[in-house]
Structures are given as structure tokens and as C-alpha cells.
Amino acid sequence: MHIDIVSAVPELLDSFLNHSILKRAQDNKTVEIFVHDLHDFADNKHRRIDDYPYGGASGMVMSIQPVEKAITQLQKERHYDEIIFPTPDAPLYNQKTANTLSTLGNIIILCGHYKGIDQRIRDHFITMEVSIGDYVLTGGELAAAIITDSIVRLIPGSISDETSALTDSFQDNLLSPPVYTRPAEYNGWKVPGVLLSGNHKDIDEWQMNEALRKTQQIRPDLLSDDLTE
Ligand code: ADE
């Protein structure tokens, strides 16, 4: 998979993309991730990428020109399956969307900043808009990082234990059951006996019951939603 992230503050993504699973996935060629500085595409000598909003609203708006140039330049190199714009005024991102995106070949993620981006960018270039939650961030970089992480970990080859992504919370509309590791007892706090029993049928049943119990208690909405179809 090939991911291009277009950002006005590319440094924000450096550390995130260069550690842990995302680094390994790039090193072993499971995914290629390139971050592009939006200022490099600005056709003005001050490399400005924003301007005042028409109509006199407060804040600055990201201009069309640098974004258009960035996207059309990238499109000369390859066809993109989706051009994604993370923004709070969009449908909520979830595991179902991550699953779908993880099967694609090439995507662009455009990080917004300031008060928003010129609507014509959204109308003419963006193919998918997603919000990562009902709160507002200063820019789209954190959202882009979250989207990238959630996609890449699903691509075979990025996680060493490949079954582990499939047993994540949300993959069956269920939250994950509790997990434990050694020691079996600490300060008198014991690991549930069934997990030490070696009986895989009992363990599977316990994990399923715990997943259901947790989901019912914490996120009952998931039990009536179909996030995975
Ligand atoms: N940019 C700013 N806030 C955001 C949010 N909640 N989701 C996605 N992108 C954003």
C-alpha cells in the first residue's frame, strides 16, 4: 500500500511514522508512507497556504492553489483509490472504514488547518471525509496519524502475530476481553483460573462472555450497529 500525507506541519508526523509498527511496516515494504509539505506547492514567494475567509468569518482558510497543485502532482505519479480529508464535520471513522481502507492500493490524506479548507477543494478533489471523534483538533495531522495507524496494522505483514489484528476490539462489534500475563498472582490479585486451565474451549467461551459483558456495559450501541459488514 502507498500512502501520501499532505500536511502544513509535516514535522508533527515524523516521530509517529518512524517508530514501532509503522516503522517496521515501512522497513519491510508492507507500506510506503510519504509526507509532503503543503508549503512546497504554494505559488507565492512567502509560501503562504491560507487566506482570509470571504464573508468576514473569523480565522483563516486553507487556499485552493497549493492543495490543487499537491494533489494533481501526486496524481501524475499514480491513480489514487481515495483522497481522504479528516475533518470534524464528517461521518465518524470506525473499524469498518479502517478495514475497507486497508484493502486499497494508494491513498492521499490531506491534513486541514486553520478554520477549514476552501469548500471547492472538498467538492472537487476529496473523495472521502472522516471525523475521528466529536471534538475539534488544531489540525488534521493527529487524525491522519490515527487513520494511518489503524489501516497499516491491518495489512498482512505489518504485525508479527497476524491473528492479533483480527481479534482487536471492534472486529466483531465487540470490545476485547481482559488480558493477563505472568505472574498468575500478584499482591493476592489472581488471574481468572480458566485462563490457566489449558482448556481452549473453556477459554474461548470465557473470552466471548467477557467481550459480550464488557460491550454490553461500556458500548451497548455496538451490539445494535453493524460496523463490520
Ligand atoms: N481535524 C480537526 N478535528 C478533527 C476531528 N475531530 N476529526 C478529524 N479531523 C479533524
Side-chain angles (χ1 to χ4, degrees):
M1 183 175 203
H2 180 102
I3 304 177
D4 285 296
I5 303 177
V6 179
S7 162
V9 197
E11 303 78 21
L12 285 176
L13 290 154
D14 282 351
S15 151
F16 172 75
L17 293 175
N18 291 311
H19 291 93
S20 187
I21 286 174
L22 287 182
K23 179 174 187 324
R24 181 147 36 92
Q26 292 172 87
D27 288 347
N28 71 20
K29 310 266 185 276
T30 300
V31 65
E32 289 178 326
I33 306 174
F34 292 95
V35 183
H36 308 272
D37 186 344
L38 189 59
H39 296 90
D40 292 344
F41 300 92
D43 278 345
N44 62 81
K45 75 170 186 290
H46 299 294
R47 290 163 44 93
R48 248 186 96 165
I49 54 162
D50 64 331
D51 213 329
Y52 293 98
Y54 280 122
S58 64
M60 301 298 278
V61 175
M62 207 181 250
S63 311
I64 299 190
Q65 182 277 316
V67 176
E68 197 236 336
K69 189 165 177 185
I71 292 177
T72 50
Q73 209 147 302
L74 290 172
Q75 282 173 325
K76 283 186 192 139
E77 298 290 318
R78 53 181 54 79
H79 166 78
Y80 288 93
D81 302 301
E82 295 285 3
I83 302 180
I84 302 166
F85 178 53
T87 179
D89 54 338
L92 277 180
Y93 186 71
N94 61 22
Q95 190 64 40
K96 178 185 166 192
T97 317
N99 290 344
T100 306
L101 293 177
S102 73
T103 65
L104 301 181
N106 305 316
I107 62 171
I108 294 176
I109 306 178
L110 172 66
C111 303
H113 258 272
Y114 314 108
K115 193 75 193 163
I117 61 174
D118 190 304
Q119 180 62 35
R120 291 166 292 182
I121 297 170
R122 298 173 72 164
D123 294 342
H124 298 288
F125 293 104
I126 301 301
T127 61
M128 177 186 256
E129 300 186 336
V130 289
S131 166
I132 58 153
D134 291 337
Y135 42 80
V136 179
L137 305 166
T138 9
E141 282 75 13
L142 283 174
I146 285 168
I147 293 165
T148 303
D149 185 287
S150 65
I151 297 171
V152 171
R153 64 193 305 287
L154 294 171
I155 305 174
S158 63
I159 305 190
S160 41
D161 175 4
E162 282 190 18
T163 56
S164 93
L166 298 175
T167 57
D168 286 341
S169 279
F170 299 113
Q171 282 298 6
D172 300 315
N173 276 10
L174 292 175
L175 302 184
S176 293
V179 292
Y180 299 87
T181 186
R182 290 185 289 183
E185 182 169 346
Y186 187 87
N187 275 356
W189 305 319
K190 290 187 178 146
V191 170
V194 61
L195 296 179
L196 312 175
S197 69
N199 181 330
H200 291 291
K201 187 168 159 290
D202 287 356
I203 293 172
D204 287 349
E205 197 174 300
W206 180 87
Q207 287 174 329
M208 178 52 75
N209 286 338
E210 284 296 303
L212 276 166
R213 184 188 60 74
K214 261 177 85 174
T215 311
Q216 186 67 261
Q217 192 182 350
I218 301 168
R219 290 290 307 277
D221 56 302
L222 290 175
L223 296 173
S224 51
D225 255 16
D226 196 355
L227 303 178
T228 54
E229 73 188 8

